[in-house]
Amino acid sequence: MHTHHRSWLILKHAYVRAAEIETLLDLYGTVDDIVRQPRSRLSESGLSAEKCDAIATPDEKAISTALDWLEDDRHHLIAWGQEAYPEMLSQIPGPPLALYVNGNVDALHMPALAVIGSRNPTQGGRRNAHGFSRHLAGQGFTIISGLAQGIDTAAHEGALDAGGKTIAFLGTGIDRVYPAANRQLAHAIAGDGALVSEYPLGAPPERWHFPERNRLISGISLGTLVVEAARRSGSLITARLAAEQGREVFALPGSIHNALARGCHELIRQGAKLVETAADILGELRPLAAHMREIADEVVDKSGVRETTSPEHDDDYQELRKALSHDPTSIDELKKQSGLTIDQLSSMLLILELHGEVESLSGGRYALTG
Amino acid sequence: MHTHHRSWLILKHAYVRAAEIETLLDLYGTVDDIVRQPRSRLSESGLSAEKCDAIATPDEKAISTALDWLEDDRHHLIAWGQEAYPEMLSQIPGPPLALYVNGNVDALHMPALAVIGSRNPTQGGRRNAHGFSRHLAGQGFTIISGLAQGIDTAAHEGALDAGGKTIAFLGTGIDRVYPAANRQLAHAIAGDGALVSEYPLGAPPERWHFPERNRLISGISLGTLVVEAARRSGSLITARLAAEQGREVFALPGSIHNALARGCHELIRQGAKLVETAADILGELRPLAAHMREIADEVVDKSGVRETTSPEHDDDYQELRKALSHDPTSIDELKKQSGLTIDQLSSMLLILELHGEVESLSGGRYALTG
């Protein structure tokens, strides 16, 4: 295994592409055989001189750093063609040759939804990202995002609050956290989910990493939800990649006076699905997820997407439901009747709203729908 | 002329449809000839017994009331086939046989946009209806609506504020105003625009009149803009009629937490054009309006849609433009720099925003776009 690791790391540091590895394997046998070839024989494969050089005289220091990092049980290198390589990523153009993973590798095989958007969202955008992620993670979807501030952070946190899985794809080496403010969040994500990077250990947050990284966020996901995004933003690039990869694109509409709704509206005009509630997403993704679970079950011995469509059933929710009616009721009145705090109520009402059970009306009032 | 009026009124009170009048004219000559036919000959036309009875023994009291009403120079009866009958309405299924008009008949021949929505909109919805109507009326479009409270009222008022034309289609007789609170608004509309009804004088606001009336609102308009509307609301009926009549349907998106954005979102999902700025509407309607103006020019000796695409050019706007930059600026700062009041600024910024010149950012800040 260690030998394999070393060989894959050599190939990865030589920037060999997944498309090229197939040719090399055909010619020489295993990855270990490839890296053992003399420089002269390697060049017969059609590989560029630069890559041949890098394989023949590998960067031993970088490889040894990576091998040291891999000593930890929670650290993994997942390479092209291995069973642990995510099926969803193997389908995209330009798949990574290998991924550094810190955390639970199984999380990469669950049906996933990417939740992305602005680094400077409105308070409402943040709440929506959190609420949708929390609800959908609770339904068994892994929430994928990019660990950035703003929407990304809210998405990861929402999934964690639901006790669900979430994965952050990094634009840095797997051993670095960017932005630094998210160090604690990164640690929590790696608990039952994962941090994933295709960059060498120690790689800084280079500007060009992020759009490149975005293809993995969209690619591993059945769909991408854009919560709030400006026109000409990175989120729209990710959404376009999702569409090109044949994935679903979802966008939340917003007020025409909210500049961060503009990107979402542009996507909707281009054919993205307009999303109002989590049910809008579940309706599209459940059939895809069911299919994917069949694939995932071969790899992971875990339950996938739960079939239940009803939201939380605990006592607090029952109290809240009793306090609600089809007539608009103020949150103060709900507080009085349910005995819950405003904070609890806000979060629970959003969950019910995302589920389509409740609608929020002007003046902070709420009513049962239907 | 008076004779014609009487004959048309008899036919109208007999509920003869526009489709039937063609047959009757072919058989008997003029409308005056039709109403002079003996009962026995009339029935040979295939007209129902009920309608034949109503023509042979007309409701003289109702007809005399209508003739009295028509004595006023500003009061008109426009009948099927007449030059003053709006071309746009002649194209729809179930066109009215005749229309009672109070005001400026020319207004019915200008390129028009319907602006409709909830009777209980949010403050933001009201502002949007007012702002879009004001801007588009200023560009030469007649703003069509239904004189209801809420969005309708804001739409009519916006057009009037721009010194533009607006038409209210009524669900009552032309001599009644519903709701009564809009009496003064109705008077202002009839100034340079028009009140229009197909119902007999004195007809109360029967519930079934309104969906029927809605086909005229959508039918006379090149497009219908829905500003805020609940699901399963009258506004969605009008939008559906617009689509069936081959007219454009526009909808303003909104927050997913705004129940009155739901209807608009439903329309967008069904193919309505998502609108963020007035330019989105102008882009679709200008070509249609130009074609329509050619038709209108044959009837009305008036200028139609102005070709200018730039918004207001007066000194106040120049001051505001100087105060704005591509960096976000607070409205307080704009007030300080421009010397304008917050009220003036709010209205002017909305106009510029609708025009796409300015975008509003979080925290009440504004920046030049592009």
Side-chain angles (χ1 to χ4, degrees):
Chain A
M1 183 65 171
H2 228 218
T3 329
H4 281 322
H5 271 171
R6 185 182 146 77
S7 303
W8 278 115
L9 287 167
I10 291 171
L11 294 167
K12 182 132 185 67
H13 278 83
Y15 295 97
V16 170
R17 288 182 293 114
E20 293 167 331
I21 199 73
E22 297 287 355
T23 311
L24 296 175
L25 289 170
D26 282 351
L27 284 171
Y28 308 116
T30 68
V31 279
D32 297 340
D33 295 331
I34 296 170
V35 301
R36 271 200 293 266
Q37 299 303 313
R39 168 77 177 75
S40 55
R41 283 224 50 201
L42 266 181
S43 61
E44 290 167 16
S45 69
L47 213 57
S48 75
E50 228 173 352
K51 292 183 186 182
C52 292
D53 290 345
I55 295 170
T57 54
D59 179 346
E60 291 297 351
K61 191 162 163 253
I63 286 158
S64 137
T65 307
L67 286 171
D68 284 350
W69 181 83
L70 283 165
E71 289 296 323
D72 189 316
D73 280 352
R74 313 250 326 138
H75 295 175
H76 310 273
L77 183 74
I78 296 179
W80 180 256
Q82 294 178 348
E83 205 177 21
Y85 193 97
E87 167 72 14
M88 292 291 283
L89 286 183
S90 71
Q91 300 165 357
I92 68 172
L97 182 75
L99 293 168
Y100 300 90
V101 178
N102 175 3
N104 175 7
V105 175
D106 294 349
L108 279 81
H109 298 273
M110 315 299 282
L113 175 74
V115 178
I116 60 169
S118 172
R119 283 188 302 276
N120 297 296
T122 66
Q123 197 50 35
R126 215 181 292 269
R127 282 184 65 222
N128 288 336
H130 189 280
F132 274 88
S133 299
R134 180 176 161 168
H135 185 69
L136 290 157
Q139 297 284 313
F141 283 89
T142 297
I143 303 299
I144 311 292
S145 201
L147 199 65
Q149 290 184 302
I151 297 299
D152 286 17
T153 294
H156 291 302
E157 288 177 347
L160 292 171
D161 281 0
K165 289 182 176 49
T166 183
I167 299 176
F169 280 84
L170 312 181
T172 61
I174 188 76
D175 54 341
R176 295 187 61 160
V177 171
Y178 178 81
N182 274 345
R183 187 169 301 277
Q184 215 170 346
L185 176 61
H187 185 77
I189 290 170
D192 192 32
L195 305 172
V196 182
S197 170
E198 61 172 329
Y199 300 105
L201 272 84
E206 302 286 7
R207 189 182 271 270
W208 63 85
H209 285 174
F210 293 92
E212 191 177 55
R213 176 273 318 257
N214 290 350
R215 83 191 193 290
L216 306 182
I217 290 179
S218 57
I220 201 167
S221 306
L222 294 167
T224 292
L225 171 65
V226 183
V227 175
E228 271 191 335
R231 286 222 173 108
R232 289 184 286 279
S233 62
S235 301
L236 297 208
I237 297 176
T238 310
R240 202 189 59 212
L241 290 169
E244 287 171 6
Q245 291 164 343
R247 311 292 188 239
E248 300 290 331
V249 181
F250 303 100
L252 287 188
S255 162
I256 58 169
H257 304 292
N258 176 4
L260 290 175
R262 299 275 158 85
C264 292
H265 293 160
E266 189 169 315
L267 291 173
I268 291 166
R269 283 179 174 144
Q270 291 166 358
K273 296 205 166 55
L274 185 156
V275 165
E276 287 179 316
T277 70
D280 294 333
I281 296 176
L282 288 169
E284 298 289 334
L285 294 195
R286 272 233 175 77
L288 301 172
H291 167 68
M292 196 190 150
R293 190 169 46 162
E294 288 166 25
I295 300 167
D297 281 348
E298 297 166 18
V299 183
V300 190
D301 184 28
K302 284 236 176 182
S303 75
V305 172
R306 288 203 288 277
E307 287 301 326
T308 166
T309 59
S310 56
E312 288 72 1
H313 283 290
D314 66 28
D315 290 350
D316 284 353
Y317 277 89
Q318 294 307 343
E319 282 309 311
L320 173 54
R321 283 196 185 85
K322 264 186 253 165
L324 285 160
S325 78
H326 291 281
D327 293 321
T329 311
S330 74
I331 195 159
D332 287 333
E333 186 60 32
L334 292 174
K335 181 185 169 203
K336 210 182 299 173
Q337 290 190 30
S338 67
L340 296 160
T341 68
I342 295 284
D343 271 0
Q344 287 177 303
L345 282 169
S346 300
S347 160
M348 292 164 69
L349 285 164
L350 181 62
I351 298 279
L352 292 179
E353 192 183 337
L354 293 177
H355 198 80
E357 252 190 75
V358 160
E359 65 182 355
S360 82
L361 306 164
S362 61
R365 294 168 310 151
Y366 294 83
L368 293 172
T369 54
Chain B
M1 184 64 171
H2 227 219
T3 329
H4 282 322
H5 271 171
R6 185 182 146 77
S7 303
W8 279 115
L9 287 166
I10 291 171
L11 294 167
K12 182 129 187 67
H13 279 84
Y15 295 97
V16 170
R17 288 180 291 114
E20 292 169 329
I21 199 72
E22 297 287 353
T23 311
L24 296 175
L25 288 169
D26 281 351
L27 283 172
Y28 308 117
T30 68
V31 279
D32 296 340
D33 294 332
I34 296 169
V35 301
R36 271 200 294 264
Q37 300 301 314
R39 170 74 178 74
S40 54
R41 284 229 42 205
L42 266 181
S43 60
E44 290 168 16
S45 68
L47 213 58
S48 74
E50 228 172 352
K51 292 181 184 183
C52 292
D53 289 346
I55 294 170
T57 55
D59 180 345
E60 292 296 351
K61 191 160 162 257
I63 286 158
S64 138
T65 305
L67 287 171
D68 285 350
W69 181 83
L70 283 166
E71 289 295 321
D72 190 315
D73 279 351
R74 313 249 328 138
H75 294 175
H76 311 273
L77 184 73
I78 296 180
W80 179 256
Q82 294 177 349
E83 206 176 22
Y85 192 97
E87 168 72 14
M88 293 290 282
L89 286 183
S90 71
Q91 301 165 355
I92 67 172
L97 183 74
L99 293 167
Y100 300 90
V101 178
N102 175 3
N104 175 8
V105 174
D106 294 349
L108 281 81
H109 298 274
M110 316 299 283
L113 174 75
V115 178
I116 60 169
S118 171
R119 283 188 301 277
N120 298 296
T122 66
Q123 197 52 35
R126 215 182 291 271
R127 281 184 64 221
N128 287 337
H130 189 280
F132 275 88
S133 299
R134 181 176 159 169
H135 186 69
L136 290 157
Q139 296 284 316
F141 284 89
T142 297
I143 302 298
I144 311 291
S145 202
L147 200 64
Q149 289 184 305
I151 297 298
D152 286 17
T153 293
H156 291 304
E157 288 177 346
L160 292 172
D161 281 359
K165 290 182 176 47
T166 182
I167 299 176
F169 280 84
L170 311 181
T172 61
I174 189 76
D175 55 339
R176 295 186 62 159
V177 171
Y178 178 82
N182 274 345
R183 186 168 301 278
Q184 214 169 344
L185 175 60
H187 185 75
I189 291 169
D192 192 32
L195 305 171
V196 182
S197 170
E198 61 172 328
Y199 300 105
L201 273 85
E206 302 286 7
R207 186 182 275 269
W208 63 86
H209 285 174
F210 294 91
E212 190 176 56
R213 176 277 314 259
N214 290 350
R215 83 191 195 289
L216 306 182
I217 290 178
S218 57
I220 201 166
S221 305
L222 294 166
T224 291
L225 171 65
V226 183
V227 175
E228 273 190 333
R231 288 224 172 106
R232 288 183 288 277
S233 62
S235 300
L236 296 209
I237 297 176
T238 310
R240 203 188 60 213
L241 290 170
E244 287 171 3
Q245 291 164 344
R247 310 292 188 239
E248 299 291 331
V249 181
F250 303 100
L252 286 189
S255 162
I256 59 169
H257 305 291
N258 175 5
L260 290 175
R262 301 275 159 85
C264 291
H265 293 161
E266 189 169 317
L267 290 174
I268 290 166
R269 284 178 174 143
Q270 292 166 357
K273 297 204 166 54
L274 185 158
V275 165
E276 287 180 314
T277 70
D280 294 332
I281 297 175
L282 286 170
E284 298 288 334
L285 294 195
R286 271 234 175 77
L288 301 172
H291 167 71
M292 195 188 151
R293 190 169 47 163
E294 288 165 25
I295 300 167
D297 281 348
E298 298 166 18
V299 183
V300 189
D301 184 27
K302 283 237 177 182
S303 74
V305 173
R306 288 202 289 277
E307 288 301 326
T308 167
T309 60
S310 56
E312 287 72 0
H313 283 290
D314 66 28
D315 290 349
D316 285 352
Y317 278 90
Q318 294 307 345
E319 283 308 312
L320 173 53
R321 281 196 187 85
K322 265 186 256 169
L324 285 161
S325 78
H326 290 281
D327 294 320
T329 311
S330 73
I331 196 159
D332 287 333
E333 186 59 33
L334 292 175
K335 182 186 169 202
K336 211 182 297 172
Q337 290 190 29
S338 67
L340 296 161
T341 68
I342 295 283
D343 272 1
Q344 287 176 302
L345 283 169
S346 302
S347 160
M348 292 164 69
L349 285 164
L350 181 63
I351 297 279
L352 292 179
E353 193 182 337
L354 293 177
H355 198 81
E357 253 190 76
V358 160
E359 64 181 355
S360 82
L361 306 165
S362 61
R365 294 169 310 151
Y366 294 84
L368 292 173
T369 54

